[in-house]
Amino acid sequence: MGIHLARLQRNDDDLNKIDPFTFFGLFNKRLKKENRIRIIAELMNQLHVNAPVPSEFDGVPLVNSFTAAFYPFAPDQTPNQIEDLWSLFLSALDLADNQDTAITEDFVKAFNRVKAGNPQATTVKLTMGLFWVRPLRFLSLDQNNRANIVEKRALNEQVRQTVQLFLKTDTDGQHYLQVCDEALKALRENDLAFQTFPEFSEYSWELAKSSIKDYDPQFSNEEWDALIADPKIFTPEALEIMNDWQQFDNAAATCTQVAARFGRKKNYYLTQTVSLAQRIADVKKGMTLLSGQKDAKWWPIVFTGSKADAETPGSIVWQLRPGLKGALERAADGGQRYWWLNANPKIWTFSLEKIGTTQSYTIRSESGHLRRIPQNFRDAKPGDKFIGYETSPTKQIVALGTIVAPPEPDTVGFRSDELLVNRIDYADIKADPDLANMEFFKNPNGSLFKLTKDEYETILDLVRDANPDGPKKEIMESYSRAKFLEDVFIEPTKYDSLVALLDDKLNVILQGAPGVGKTYSAKRLAWSILSKKDDSHITMVEFHQNYAYEDFVIGYRPQEDGGFKLTEGKFVKACRQAQSDPDEKYFFIIDEINRGNLSKIFGELLMAIEKDYRGQPIPLAYGDKSLVVPKNLYIIGMMNTADRSLAIIDYALRRRFSFVDMEPAFETQSFGDYLHRMNNPVLDRIVAVVKQLNVAISKDEALGAGFEIGHSYFCNGENAQPGWLKRVVDFDLKPTLDEYWFDNQSTAEEWKKKLSDAVAEDSNNA
């Protein structure tokens, strides 16, 4: 990258057209690679540079986005600060091309003015900026280069001492030029793998990266076991952090990922891990530490590290050291570290707590009496696993979680890590012979019961059979508002209103005549809000006259053995899925919503789906069970306004939905663009007839606008071939007209003839 930058030749006329700090913005740590490439290409084009556009940036020093500016912002900025920066970098360009005493003096004066009058332009940042503009002349003193020169002595002792002195005085441009000159001399005179500053920068970056990856504190398994057993070193907070990492595949994740999953701030993990590593280092006197600062120095004691890929949030993937991971597992196997935790749903429920929320259970009841088996409360330790069970009337395993540090004496802290979409019934647990000796079954009255490791794993197998983890999610194709407007022929303002209505009400019904694209639009509306084509966040059902509450919510269903089992319907499972992932949006789409008996299908959920009642448990009609309809589940219904056989939606349901009319899109700009792309005279003639037909339908007192012919009839044929268009007319539109005017055949025949005439000239091409 630096070699490419070195080819940028100064051109005053072109350079003056560019914002002076647009170029420096390229080196913001948060700027995506593809955006950096695009901006550099534009800059090179403006500067008439013919070199290839760089595509890799490994080794280029970057600036943290929060401190990226080289100057203070208003009102702290003084008039000369920008001008001084310009003078410094312009003189740097001159100095790189001309070794002239006067130019050198100009550079030194400009450097010193900036340092004296601009606290935002730190020494390290200035040297990085000078390296960016002329990487073959100026040395960047970023963290990687400093560590390589000062601590690893990559050049020679004279350069090392000069750099240390310069960084200590931190004022003089002449000293900086001395640093650059001595470093260049060392590069030229020594037989090194790097001969230029850009090569040295990349080498330093690679060395820093490999240091984290290859560093080994050299603890034996016995030493790790002893450390784990010492509560002064592995405090409850430290064990909790270790457990959080173990929830990820191979105990590997970025700090950003862990913080997001468990609802903590990154700084909590940063400070606690550094403290743990420092306690470990105090025990093993004389151990070798990595050079560097903050987490780069301490985290590798506990973790191995590797650079995160572009798709992973965060910068470094930290993985628990194998020896430490094994010691944690051995410690867990050495005691009763698995638990069965009861919740009485009449008092509290796992379902009402957000995943990652810490709760507590006291060893004494509200009356002051010790709970049954109080020793279990004393034995439970942070990092232990528990099975979350809700007692009668639920009688199901509903959650998996982790014991955490107790908030106060005589309590057990716990955290739900997963709410189950498909819960495990008591009968299924009781029927498993491997669980016959569970402490819970001996006397279920109580709150906290021991599980052996085998019992826990048996239950976990039942949970995973019903709630499989499956493969990692595929990278979904992106989808946007613009793509929706391209696919669905509605005006942008209507789309915005539709999204706003859905966000405000949570429940929306798309109503219109056949062929206006209600179902097609509903799914794409969900995609556009999700910003991706992710069907795993969408549940679709279709109502019909025999559809019942038992299908939709819960009911007894026949089993293969001839008996009946209380089974949850699709809506309940969709609610569980949304509730288990509260930071994501989910959609429940109901086609033909007015074709079923809505009051009977929804039952008591007419209240539960209201926005004001979302998040509150609603008792269900069967099994004394309850359901929470979460606020992140959006309901989209579709209603055909031209079906005479359907009853009008009753007011109780109507007031809980917003209704949006979906109309034929023949007059929209996007459909006009579609016709233009098709360039098909037959299609144009048919559309012209249908537009006239819709006017007649809307004026007919027995029909009205809700019976108009929709545009989607003409959007599915490949290139709208005449044969396909004739079939649409003969087998879709004409039967519809016969149905509309069953008592007025002359009108039906008149319009059928007009449609036939529109395709007649090309009918031989069918």
Side-chain angles (χ1 to χ4, degrees):
M1 172 62 188
I3 294 173
H4 286 294
L5 293 178
R7 294 172 180 164
L8 294 177
Q9 298 300 312
R10 179 183 173 194
N11 182 311
D12 287 337
D13 292 337
D14 292 322
L15 194 62
N16 288 332
K17 297 176 184 177
I18 301 173
D19 181 335
F21 301 107
T22 294
F23 183 72
F24 300 141
L26 293 171
F27 302 97
N28 184 328
K29 285 183 178 180
R30 293 174 178 255
L31 192 64
K32 291 184 178 179
K33 176 180 175 180
E34 58 269 24
N35 291 335
R36 188 171 285 128
I37 292 173
R38 178 179 58 78
I39 297 173
I40 287 180
E42 177 61 27
L43 283 172
M44 293 176 70
N45 179 59
Q46 291 187 42
L47 296 172
H48 308 299
V49 175
N50 296 322
V53 177
S55 59
E56 296 298 333
F57 305 91
D58 290 349
V60 178
L62 304 177
V63 177
N64 188 300
S65 59
F66 294 109
T67 60
F70 281 61
Y71 53 90
F73 296 109
D76 299 326
Q77 186 183 119
T78 62
N80 293 330
Q81 286 171 334
I82 300 297
E83 185 62 33
D84 287 344
L85 281 167
W86 261 121
S87 297
L88 172 60
F89 282 97
L90 289 174
S91 63
L93 296 175
D94 284 338
L95 182 60
D97 299 333
N98 303 283
Q99 294 298 328
D100 183 274
T101 302
I103 296 175
T104 301
E105 292 177 355
D106 289 342
F107 173 86
V108 171
K109 291 178 181 178
F111 188 99
N112 294 344
R113 282 200 307 274
V114 171
K115 286 299 299 165
N118 188 346
Q120 192 74 13
T122 63
T123 299
V124 170
K125 192 186 296 183
L126 280 180
T127 65
M128 290 168 64
L130 291 167
F131 171 79
W132 294 337
V133 298
R134 283 296 183 266
L136 297 179
R137 178 64 180 92
F138 299 108
L139 174 66
S140 169
L141 292 176
D142 58 272
Q143 180 176 327
N144 291 338
N145 279 353
R146 294 199 309 272
N148 205 8
I149 293 172
V150 176
E151 298 175 20
K152 300 186 181 300
R153 294 173 166 82
L155 295 177
N156 58 37
E157 182 61 23
Q158 183 175 348
V159 175
R160 176 176 177 271
Q161 292 180 4
T162 303
V163 168
Q164 283 184 309
L165 179 62
F166 171 68
L167 292 174
K168 186 176 181 180
T169 57
D170 196 26
T171 55
D172 195 342
Q174 186 64 51
H175 288 169
Y176 173 62
L177 290 180
Q178 182 183 351
V179 167
C180 296
D181 291 339
E182 291 184 3
L184 280 172
K185 182 179 179 183
L187 289 174
R188 292 165 183 160
E189 293 179 354
N190 294 282
D191 186 17
L192 301 173
F194 35 84
Q195 298 294 314
T196 66
F197 288 157
E199 292 171 330
F200 180 70
S201 180
E202 183 170 13
Y203 171 80
S204 299
W205 177 80
E206 289 286 355
L207 186 64
K209 183 180 70 170
S210 62
S211 296
I212 295 176
K213 182 177 180 181
D214 300 334
Y215 171 75
D216 186 355
Q218 297 183 336
F219 283 99
S220 66
N221 288 341
E222 291 73 18
E223 287 176 309
W224 279 123
D225 288 337
L227 290 168
I228 292 292
D230 188 342
K232 293 181 180 179
I233 297 175
F234 275 86
T235 62
E237 292 79 11
L239 288 172
E240 185 176 354
I241 287 174
M242 299 299 99
N243 175 72
D244 287 352
W245 245 271
Q246 288 178 294
Q247 306 312 305
F248 291 82
D249 290 345
N250 300 317
T254 66
C255 188
T256 301
Q257 289 176 310
V258 180
R261 174 174 290 190
F262 296 109
R264 294 186 183 274
K265 293 185 177 180
K266 286 172 56 178
N267 191 55
Y268 174 80
Y269 291 101
L270 293 171
T271 55
Q272 290 291 342
T273 302
V274 168
S275 297
L276 169 62
Q278 290 172 338
R279 293 194 296 271
I280 293 173
D282 288 341
V283 171
K284 190 169 183 176
K285 301 296 184 181
M287 67 179 295
T288 301
L289 298 177
L290 273 177
S291 61
Q293 300 175 355
K294 299 180 181 177
D295 56 332
K297 182 176 182 178
W298 296 107
W299 277 57
I301 294 176
V302 181
F303 298 95
T304 61
S306 59
K307 185 180 179 183
D309 59 37
E311 303 299 325
T312 302
S315 56
I316 298 178
V317 175
W318 297 104
Q319 183 174 23
L320 282 182
R321 290 199 166 276
L324 172 56
K325 186 172 182 290
L328 289 166
E329 292 171 351
R330 287 190 295 275
D333 291 342
Q336 300 294 334
R337 302 298 301 271
Y338 304 96
W339 305 94
W340 176 284
L341 180 61
N342 277 352
N344 185 338
K346 295 178 180 178
I347 302 174
W348 71 276
T349 170
F350 292 100
S351 303
L352 294 182
E353 299 297 334
K354 186 177 180 180
I355 291 176
T357 301
T358 297
Q359 304 176 70
S360 63
Y361 231 141
T362 61
I363 197 171
R364 294 181 181 274
S365 66
E366 292 182 358
S367 61
H369 295 97
L370 283 172
R371 297 189 189 275
R372 188 169 173 271
I373 323 181
Q375 190 60 41
N376 285 352
F377 287 81
R378 300 186 180 102
D379 291 342
K381 297 294 188 294
D384 295 358
K385 299 295 184 182
F386 72 82
I387 301 294
Y389 178 80
E390 290 188 358
T391 60
S392 181
T394 304
K395 300 183 74 173
Q396 290 176 321
I397 293 173
V398 301
L400 302 176
T402 303
I403 302 297
V404 298
E408 56 188 48
D410 288 339
T411 61
V412 168
F414 63 93
R415 179 190 66 221
S416 296
D417 297 330
E418 180 180 352
L419 295 178
L420 304 185
V421 175
N422 297 307
R423 300 174 168 190
I424 311 302
D425 289 332
Y426 174 88
D428 294 329
I429 309 161
K430 185 68 174 176
D432 194 314
D434 293 333
L435 302 175
N437 296 319
M438 275 173 51
E439 186 178 64
F440 170 72
F441 286 146
K442 295 176 183 178
N443 185 345
N445 295 320
S447 303
L448 191 65
F449 301 88
K450 295 176 183 177
L451 289 173
T452 67
K453 183 178 181 181
D454 288 341
E455 289 169 345
Y456 176 82
E457 291 180 347
T458 297
I459 295 172
L460 198 59
D461 287 340
L462 293 174
V463 169
R464 288 295 165 236
D465 286 341
N467 301 268
D469 284 336
K472 292 184 178 180
K473 289 185 178 180
E474 298 176 356
I475 298 175
M476 303 294 177
E477 180 180 348
S478 62
Y479 200 84
S480 63
R481 174 182 183 272
K483 190 67 172 70
F484 178 92
L485 294 173
E486 180 181 326
D487 290 345
V488 180
F489 302 135
I490 67 173
E491 298 297 340
T493 53
K494 187 163 187 175
Y495 167 84
D496 295 336
S497 297
L498 182 54
V499 173
L501 280 172
L502 191 58
D503 186 64
D504 181 58
K505 196 91 169 189
L506 303 183
N507 311 311
V508 166
I509 288 180
L510 308 180
Q511 62 180 3
V516 294
K518 298 183 293 296
T519 306
Y520 182 86
S521 301
K523 193 171 188 180
R524 281 154 183 80
L525 175 63
W527 286 348
S528 70
I529 295 172
L530 293 169
S531 298
K532 56 187 175 182
K533 290 185 176 182
D534 189 355
D535 289 342
S536 67
H537 284 225
I538 300 172
T539 301
M540 295 191 71
V541 299
E542 182 177 347
F543 282 1
H544 51 78
Q545 292 178 344
N546 292 325
Y547 204 84
Y549 177 94
E550 290 74 14
D551 302 302
F552 189 63
V553 184
I554 191 171
Y556 287 97
R557 310 291 294 175
Q559 303 297 298
E560 292 181 359
D561 60 5
F564 288 82
K565 182 179 180 180
L566 191 60
T567 305
E568 294 174 344
K570 283 190 174 183
F571 186 71
V572 171
K573 292 181 178 179
C575 290
R576 306 266 192 242
Q577 183 183 21
Q579 194 176 11
S580 68
D581 193 9
D583 294 326
E584 292 287 330
K585 294 181 178 181
Y586 287 79
F587 297 85
F588 195 87
I589 299 177
I590 307 171
D591 205 1
E592 303 288 356
I593 190 171
N594 58 333
R595 192 169 284 277
N597 186 329
L598 300 181
S599 296
K600 185 176 180 181
I601 292 172
F602 277 88
E604 65 278 357
L605 295 186
L606 282 178
M607 180 173 67
I609 65 174
E610 278 194 65
K611 186 173 185 178
D612 291 342
Y613 288 94
R614 295 290 187 99
Q616 301 181 26
I618 301 295
L620 300 179
Y622 288 89
D624 293 326
K625 297 181 181 295
S626 62
L627 175 68
V628 172
V629 182
K631 293 183 178 181
N632 61 324
L633 181 66
Y634 298 85
I635 302 174
I636 303 175
M638 284 81 74
M639 186 171 76
N640 188 349
T641 55
D643 195 328
R644 302 173 190 271
S645 65
L646 303 180
I648 297 174
I649 289 182
D650 64 49
Y651 180 76
L653 188 65
R654 179 172 287 275
R655 70 183 180 87
R656 290 171 169 88
F657 283 81
S658 291
F659 287 72
V660 179
D661 289 320
M662 299 291 289
E663 302 157 344
F666 298 119
E667 300 297 339
T668 63
Q669 178 64 45
S670 53
F671 189 82
D673 294 340
Y674 166 75
L675 290 180
H676 181 72
R677 291 195 303 272
M678 292 296 100
N679 190 25
N680 188 320
V682 180
L683 176 60
D684 293 341
R685 289 199 301 272
I686 295 175
V687 168
V689 172
V690 171
K691 289 163 70 173
Q692 297 172 11
L693 172 60
N694 280 344
V695 173
I697 291 173
S698 65
K699 292 181 178 180
D700 192 308
E701 294 181 357
L703 299 173
F707 289 74
E708 292 180 3
I709 304 298
H711 57 276
S712 65
Y713 284 110
F714 311 105
C715 298
N716 297 323
E718 184 176 350
N719 298 323
Q721 295 299 319
W724 173 77
L725 289 169
K726 187 174 187 304
R727 289 189 291 275
V728 169
V729 168
D730 290 342
F731 302 106
D732 290 327
L733 302 187
K734 289 182 178 180
T736 299
L737 297 183
D738 286 333
E739 171 64 19
Y740 282 3
W741 284 302
F742 66 94
D743 57 349
N744 190 349
Q745 281 300 305
S746 62
T747 300
E749 291 300 325
E750 175 188 352
W751 285 107
K752 285 161 64 176
K753 183 177 185 306
K754 290 181 179 180
L755 289 169
S756 295
D757 291 342
V759 295
E761 294 180 19
D762 298 85
S763 60
N764 59 337
N765 294 326

